[in-house]
Amino acid sequence: MRLGMVIDLKRCMGCYGCQMSCKAEHGTPPGVFFSRLLKREEGRYPTVRQILLPVLCNHCSDAPCVEVCPTGASHYAEHGVVDIDPELCVGCRSCMMACPYSNRYFNVDQRNYFGDAGPTPYEEMRSARHTESTVMKCNFCKDRRAEGKDPACVANCAAKARFFGDLEDPTSIVSQLIKDRSGFVLHPESGANPNVYYLAP
Amino acid sequence: MKMEDVGALKQHKEGEIWEDKWIPSACTICYGGCSILVHKVNGTVVKIEGNPKSPVGSGRLCAKGISGIMFLYDPHRVNTPLRRTNPVKGIGVDPGWKPISWDEAMDEIVTRLEKVRAEDPRQLVLQVTTTLAPSSLVFFPFGWAFGTPNMWVAGGGVHCGNGAHASSGVTHASWSIVPDFKHCNYAIYFGASKGHGAGHAATPNISLAADARERGMRMVVVDPMCNFAAAKANEWVPIRVGTDAALALAMANCLVNDLKIYDAEYLRDRTNAIYLTRPNGKYARDPASGKPLIWDTQSASVKPHDDPAARNAALEGEYLVDGELCQPGFARMKAQLRKYTPAHAEKITGIAAATIERLAREFGEAARIGSTIVIDGVTLPYRPVSAIFFRGAQGHKNSMYNCFAIDLLNHIVGAADVVGGTLGFNPVCHGHPDTGKPYYTPKVDRDGLMATGAWMLPHVPYPPADPRKPDSIGLIEVFPLSHVSPLMASSDQEHWWKQFKLPYRPKFMLNYGANSVMSVGNKEAVVESLKSYDFIASFDLFLNEFSDFADIILPDASYLEVVDPRPNFPFIFNHPAGQGEWGWPIRQPVVEPTHERRSARDVMLQIAYRLGLGPEINMGVNAYYGLDGEQMLDPDKTYTIEDISDHELKHKFGPERGLEWFKEHGVITWPKRVEEVYWRTFLDVRIPIYHEYLIELGEQTGKICQEADMSYDPAYYGPLPEWLPCHAHEEQDGSFDLFAFYYRDAIQANGFTMENPWIDEMARIDPFSYRIAVNADTGRRKGLKDNDVIYVETATGRRVTGRVKLTEGIHPEGVGIAACAGHWSKHQPIAQGKGVFFNDLLEIDFAHTSPVNLNLDLCAKVKVGRHEAAAT
Amino acid sequence: MNRYDQLITDLGSDYRPQREWGEGRGLLLVIGHFLVGVAGGTWLLSSIYGITAGLVVAYLLGGLGGITHLMFLGHPEVAFKMMRNVRTSWVSRGFVGLSLFLLGGGVYLALMLASLGGPWRAIELLAQIVAMLGALTVIGYMGFCYTASKAIPYWHSPLHPALYIAYAVRGGVAALLVISAATGTTANASLLQLWIAMSVLITLFFVFETQGAWTSGNIAARWSVRDVLSGRLAISFYGGTLAMGLIVPVLLLVSSAEHPPVIMALIGIASAAGDFFMKLTTVKAGVYLPLVLPSRR
Ligand SMILES: Nc1nc2c(c(=O)[nH]1)N[C@H]1C(S)=C(S)[C@@H](COP(=O)(O)OP(=O)(O)OC[C@H]3O[C@@H](n4cnc5c(=O)[nH]c(N)nc54)[C@H](O)[C@@H]3O)O[C@H]1N2
Ligand SMILES: Nc1nc2c(c(=O)[nH]1)N[C@H]1C(S)=C(S)[C@@H](COP(=O)(O)OP(=O)(O)OC[C@H]3O[C@@H](n4cnc5c(=O)[nH]c(N)nc54)[C@H](O)[C@@H]3O)O[C@H]1N2
Ligand code: SF4
Ligand code: SF4
Ligand code: SF4
Ligand code: SF4
Ligand code: SF4
Ligand SMILES: [Mo]
């Protein structure tokens, strides 16, 4: 089984729900976004197009981040998920320089969103569990998967633009969508072999 | 936290999980009220998700909804009642807040209210925020009980709804309109965000619109900016701000006069297109019954409109009735539309005539007039096209005509509340199968035209009330198609009160959340009007720019701390339209209010009871909630919001489904029936395409206005929509060459979400949220570089500054500003200084107000340039 | 701007600069790379020329470089875990290399200075080999670390390792020039020639790399070049790298036919400073590959 995601850019309307649901799910510290939405413009007025591009870790099959990691903290977990073991990570940040998709973040220190006012009860419960001075990223919502749930960003997407499943199973929704609508990956030239696919807007 | 919880806490060991619950409730960060599930662990909210059991969101939330945790736990919230110690009120003047007890606060408020009521109850003004619209219901009964007509929703209505709600109410029996996403093939959006993160049922519509896109619905977005809707459109049609009526009328002209595409059957059977009109524009009426007449082509004679012969009525031609040449409304419309040629519209809108012709043709052809479809075994008209509008198109001086003109496109092709066409938000509900409640449906009213079955307010748009001398400070009695009025906070209010001989002045304001200093228009005007109050008490979560003018602040409990039996009712407001399910969720406290926070609505009930208004407010609540029989409130008892919620829920869903049942289940759902969704075919009601009633209304309004020396322009009261310019279009000074407008940011809700650090962070990364969008070429011509600090200035010298975002995605004459940002209150440190305060560019006076529905004109002619002070 | 505000601004920009290496505590990494580069080069050249003082200095610089490397890490206390992935990770190899260098070099220096002789000679020789292997790894690993950084197209060039090796050698020359001035010995004349050769190489490599980045068609690499030549790093590039690292030493070189030790030392110091700025500039110039839709999809 190789877990992967498909993001249908035709359905996505750029609501940032994925970015936010991921933040809330993981209590990521300020400035850390396992999931992000990018907005870009293509073309000139009046034939211009807004490109709304949600990104996350691609759980690459040939992940440069795993390759460069000196400690093995970045590793292939089961079903092709690329994960970071905070116990092993020494915070050298080579992986951040290696990920062609800039989807890794360094958790400098235990900051919280209201600054001097201190952590909220939520942050005490959720954000405090992150290891400081290590690199963080999306783990395809490991804990949710263990509970049999879809990743937070998938389950919440109001446009139902995100799909999650087994890329090795040709009958899975993700495999079907990639086949039927010629799914593509970002920066195929990187050689990382991403497992997050996109469908054309 | 409740006392027993604190006790419980003590007994728990470190790391032990003693509570792990998912509690169903409803979001209220915008008025969408999406159904949520709140995950609570050991007393702390750790996640907010959508409730998949409810059709209001179907388990999915927008980014704001998810971020609610950060509102709940914001350390800057108000936690105790506060009293000002500095009597001087002004922008930037510190009120010197001092914590006081609830008893002290209540005593002072009640004593003052008693005095006000004894003098003249109309001196009380109730101001509520639109954000809490579905929860503000106790405030209205309070107003009635107290005896004041002065209630408003700050910028709400005058920005977003006076035109759209009135228009949609008259023709779709609903608060707003939306394409039938499931079946529509071609939709034109005129400044609306339905399915793109704003508007009514904001989040549920996102997936419906995505389904439609995937299915292949063509979407054309007419908007000065390629923001949310246009980003997903097949075609973006950039339009000069405020000129929508000119475009819509030209399209209508192409359809009926050039292409001859119109649904004659629909017009004949479901509209007043066949009503005969006299040369003076009014209906030809049956002398005996007063009923409007139609021309029966079979008998070649006039008949009352409700005669069975109406099936053969003429849509065109001229007929001699009582010595006058009369024409069916449709014929008049056709004739009047002739002057709206595409070439004329090109000059006004900046859209090429050929494009306009093409859009009209595409729209007309996609309508498939005459076709039918079978839904649930019933054969129904199939008109898979839709023209919708909302805040963008209606926020102008010619608000009413803009709305009517755009909606006319739907009626010309018969695409109103039929399969694939333009739907109102659920104007028909036959109720839950067990109880038949809630039940409402449009009905036939004056002159055979439709009146709404359910409405958010006591006075319905059709038939409009008779204009009369004003009783309220907003003068809405003079303008019955309005529902709120900018004159509640305008710069010229005192002048008009004198002119209209208003026998009292507002003295006491009770505010529920609204931040009117920011949400209406330029701050000076609003602040002046606020300063004239003797006393202002305000319920809020935060101290904000408005609070600086309050005397007492009452710490409200947030949406995660209160109960509400009907976060989504009436369904015409923000329940997803079209086929699917009905869902009635509730809101319930997921945590108990901490500190001294109290639910504002309970406090309002207590104030009413202490004022001795128990019977009045209980009866008011009965009227508002439609409570009768066993569930009717006893006038002589006192209730809490929990009690009332229990009554309301039992009343609608039976005695076994009270508040306790709903607290456990969160929502009740049942299937929608085809007669409810596509009701137009099943109900024998007509709607006006010829707004004859406006003539009479205008004459009466005009008479009252003239007595007060208020300018009255009959041009706004014609029965057929026209293009009329805003002030911005008449600006003479050529150096003011751009039109500033604002738009909803999908990631902000009106004015207060910038204080949420998760949202703020997102907005800071977003290219547009906090910046001023200017066309890249225009910017370059003016020597601007991306991210420069620029000023935006009006001819009246109003000026705002902010960072510029040069973009290809905006009309060359447009200046687009997101949301209602630019906070300066130091009590919201995260919001402070972020984004741009658009409204400071807006005049608030009668001259900048629609003289039909009192909508404020929301566009401003401006110039922009580098802000030199910031250049260093 | 504080780190967080900077990050938020960066995330909103089309070309997001990397700031983990080279800014804040990340400066320690550049210093570390600089120091161990010079250390490696000095060790190499000192071995060749047989300059004991050079070996000692190289060792000390290597130790200092190791410490700065550690101080840069998020979790220096578990740095030994970096040995786990020599199979694919250049950082891991560098760590092992530096460890070998410090271990072998330490043993070698101790034995050599103690000149115990006898069976110790064998260990001394072994330690020397280990130290040399370590030094060579250290010289080589850095460039490969950058080349392996697929996120940063500007670094992702096969010339980067060559550039770093040349830096190391030039750094070694610089160190020996300073050492000889300090110890009052006359430096080997071939050192200056080596310096000139390395400077020419570095300049060529840099020009090729820059030209490659500019013409590779990668917009992020182009953006980096622009940042270096005319953007946010121009001062550090022209002032530090060009003026300090090339023009000053060249002027000193051509100012007279004779090169007294002071001048030689100055040439060494200026060139080393130039190398440091070159590293700093190219590290800081790294911008992430922007995420865009593939043009043919
Ligand atoms: N520039 C600009 N101006 C606008 C708009 C815009 O988009 N841009 N929108 C216009 C429209 S259409 C509208 S409807 C109005 C809206 O204008 P307002 O009704 O004034 O809405 P907000 O500015 O969002 O302010 C909402 C207030 O409600 C408070 N609040 C939130 N939840 C609670 C609660 O549970 N209890 C209490 N007591 N208070 C609460 C918040 O703290 C905030 O002060 O603004 C209008 N003005
Ligand atoms: N995310 C989010 N959702 C919200 C709210 C929010 O603040 N944020 N507020 C809620 C409220 S109170 C309301 S009233 C609704 C409003 O919902 P919308 O109708 O979506 O309101 P806007 O985004 O202000 O206006 C819609 C579009 O009109 C465009 N526009 C501006 N001027 C013109 C014009 O002259 N002509 C045309 N054709 N277009 C124009 C704008 O660029 C914008 O794209 O949203 C509700 N939902
Ligand atoms: S939540 Fe879904 S619709 Fe919203 S931005 Fe993310 S992918 Fe797009
Ligand atoms: S996207 Fe980046 S972080 Fe994720 S697996 Fe690929 S290289 Fe690693
Ligand atoms: S920062 Fe951590 S995960 Fe990344 S490469 Fe270094 S050790 Fe591995
Ligand atoms: S899969 Fe989970 S961790 Fe990854 S981006 Fe989505 S929500 Fe975040
Ligand atoms: S649309 Fe409005 S009600 Fe729904 S989740 Fe978003 S903020 Fe909450
Ligand atoms: Mo609104």
Side-chain angles (χ1 to χ4, degrees), chain B residues 269-573:
Chain B
D269 295 349
R270 296 281 176 249
T271 77
N272 70 350
I274 53 174
Y275 289 16
L276 290 174
T277 60
R278 296 161 52 203
N280 69 0
K282 296 193 180 172
Y283 294 141
R285 292 181 183 272
D286 179 35
S289 65
K291 288 180 181 173
L293 296 170
I294 53 114
W295 185 262
D296 173 21
T297 48
Q298 213 122 56
S299 63
S301 64
V302 292
K303 294 271 161 69
H305 68 83
D306 50 359
D307 192 280
R311 248 175 286 121
N312 316 312
L315 279 169
E316 308 206 38
E318 275 186 323
Y319 308 94
L320 206 56
V321 182
D322 275 345
E324 281 182 325
L325 266 183
C326 293
Q327 279 187 303
F330 183 70
R332 263 192 209 283
M333 179 181 90
K334 261 183 94 168
Q336 172 145 326
L337 283 175
R338 282 222 162 77
K339 68 180 180 206
Y340 291 103
T341 61
H344 168 264
E346 172 171 334
K347 264 187 256 133
I348 292 164
T349 62
I351 303 167
T355 306
I356 299 173
E357 280 161 18
R358 173 175 56 81
L359 292 176
R361 193 176 55 249
E362 287 174 0
F363 185 84
E365 284 169 0
R368 306 190 189 196
I369 292 169
S371 65
T372 58
I373 190 173
V374 179
I375 301 273
D376 292 353
V378 192
T379 304
L380 297 167
Y382 177 50
R383 298 287 177 282
V385 296
S386 172
I388 63 154
F389 58 87
F390 199 59
R391 211 283 308 156
Q394 70 120 32
H396 301 283
K397 180 152 179 162
N398 55 350
S399 177
M400 206 70 251
Y401 283 160
N402 278 0
C403 299
F404 283 149
I406 297 162
D407 189 36
L408 185 58
L409 297 171
N410 297 312
H411 299 294
I412 288 174
V413 299
D417 307 295
V418 297
V419 184
T422 298
L423 302 182
F425 277 75
N426 311 297
V428 175
C429 179
H430 291 176
H432 188 273
D434 289 357
T435 57
K437 282 186 213 157
Y439 182 92
Y440 58 84
T441 181
K443 42 196 175 293
V444 180
D445 210 298
R446 202 168 84 194
D447 295 334
L449 301 183
M450 175 181 78
T452 60
W455 202 237
M456 295 290 287
L457 299 162
H459 85 272
V460 293
Y462 188 87
D466 287 334
R468 56 184 171 86
K469 289 230 172 69
D471 203 16
S472 70
I473 59 170
L475 318 182
I476 55 172
E477 294 80 3
V478 188
F479 305 93
L481 281 179
S482 67
H483 68 265
V484 282
S485 162
L487 296 173
M488 304 283 283
S490 69
S491 58
D492 55 352
Q493 53 177 199
E494 182 57 41
H495 169 77
W496 296 120
W497 294 339
K498 280 201 191 108
Q499 292 299 109
F500 282 99
K501 303 196 172 58
L502 196 77
Y504 68 96
R505 291 293 177 269
K507 280 198 175 150
F508 189 114
M509 180 190 277
L510 266 168
N511 179 49
Y512 181 39
N515 186 359
S516 57
V517 172
M518 292 194 69
S519 57
V520 186
N522 75 80
K523 56 180 175 301
E524 283 76 22
V526 181
V527 157
E528 278 318 302
S529 81
L530 289 177
K531 279 190 354 207
S532 69
Y533 283 81
D534 289 349
F535 197 81
I536 297 178
S538 179
F539 295 94
D540 214 320
L541 304 179
F542 302 97
L543 293 174
N544 58 23
E545 292 72 16
F546 175 88
S547 317
D548 284 353
F549 297 87
D551 295 273
I552 280 188
I553 300 287
L554 302 167
D556 198 4
S558 76
Y559 75 99
L560 293 171
E561 300 160 307
V562 298
V563 67
D564 197 321
R566 39 156 72 188
N568 298 87
F569 187 77
F571 298 138
I572 57 162
F573 184 51

Side-chain angles (χ1 to χ4, degrees), chain B residues 129-130 156 160 513 515 519 539-540 544 556 742 744 750-751 819 839:
Chain B
T129 168
T130 338
C160 58
N515 186 359
S519 57
F539 295 94
D540 214 320
N544 58 23
D556 198 4
Y742 76 75
R744 287 300 181 298
N750 293 329
N839 290 351

Side-chain angles (χ1 to χ4, degrees), chain B residues 113-162:
Chain B
L113 280 175
E114 273 166 349
K115 205 171 139 249
V116 163
R117 187 150 191 273
E119 260 175 47
D120 188 335
R122 295 174 298 181
Q123 294 175 136
L124 172 66
V125 174
L126 294 167
Q127 172 173 288
V128 302
T129 168
T130 338
T131 300
L132 299 166
S135 317
S136 39
L137 298 186
V138 166
F139 283 77
F140 292 98
F142 184 95
W144 307 332
F146 196 87
T148 179
N150 292 315
M151 304 180 223
W152 83 317
V153 281
V158 301
H159 278 230
C160 58
N162 273 1

Side-chain angles (χ1 to χ4, degrees), chain B residues 610-629:
Chain B
R610 279 185 61 176
L611 286 169
L613 298 174
E616 287 87 347
I617 192 153
N618 289 354
M619 294 312 283
V621 170
N622 284 333
Y624 214 119
Y625 284 16
L627 302 180
D628 55 13

